[in-house]
Amino acid sequence: MKVHQYCYFALKSETVSAGEITARLGMAPDEAQVLGSRSAEHRLPRMHAWKVTHRGPGAVDDQIEDLIGRLAPVRPGIRKLVDEGASAVLQVVRYFHHRDGGEEFGWHLSPAVIAFLTEAAAALDVDEYDLSE
């Protein structure tokens, strides 16, 4: 069975724009959404979103480690934004029986990733989709 997987870390807010988050953290996102904007790929966003992503081949736990490594320098700023009302989430997305997938099945979170998520007051959200017919 082939698995296609990726992850991203998002900060979401109804009041703080992705541009403001970028300015406060001193780190540019890989992707951003604007509250109420229209996009061919997305339904109308209900909030602003600032996202750092990791897409590509490899085990998702390795992708998560790389992603958290990129975010480590701005973790205190992430926590401050969360304390002020933003929400933070580590999103893991996996598609089973995907034509372009690899053979990586299981995954885990290291103590360092769990500590980062705890210190940043971030949620973990995992979406898994079975594309078999």
Side-chain angles (χ1 to χ4, degrees), residues 28-116:
D30 297 322
E31 300 175 17
Q33 291 178 328
V34 176
L35 173 72
S37 65
R38 296 192 182 271
S39 166
E41 298 173 2
H42 303 97
R43 290 181 287 169
L44 204 60
R46 294 187 182 116
M47 57 185 54
H48 300 290
W50 178 97
K51 298 179 182 180
V52 176
T53 63
H54 193 302
R55 298 177 189 269
V60 77
D61 41 3
D62 293 337
Q63 293 179 12
I64 293 167
E65 290 286 340
D66 291 344
L67 188 67
I68 298 303
R70 288 178 58 199
L71 292 165
V74 298
R75 197 232 20 102
I78 291 170
R79 180 56 188 252
K80 186 169 183 183
L81 285 160
V82 170
D83 288 345
E84 294 171 3
S87 63
V89 63
L90 172 61
Q91 182 76 50
V92 178
V93 182
R94 305 178 78 208
Y95 296 93
F96 297 94
H97 301 283
H98 192 279
R99 61 180 163 63
D100 298 328
E103 298 295 328
E104 301 87 7
F105 298 112
W107 59 282
H108 75 282
L109 298 177
S110 70
V113 169
I114 293 169
F116 177 92

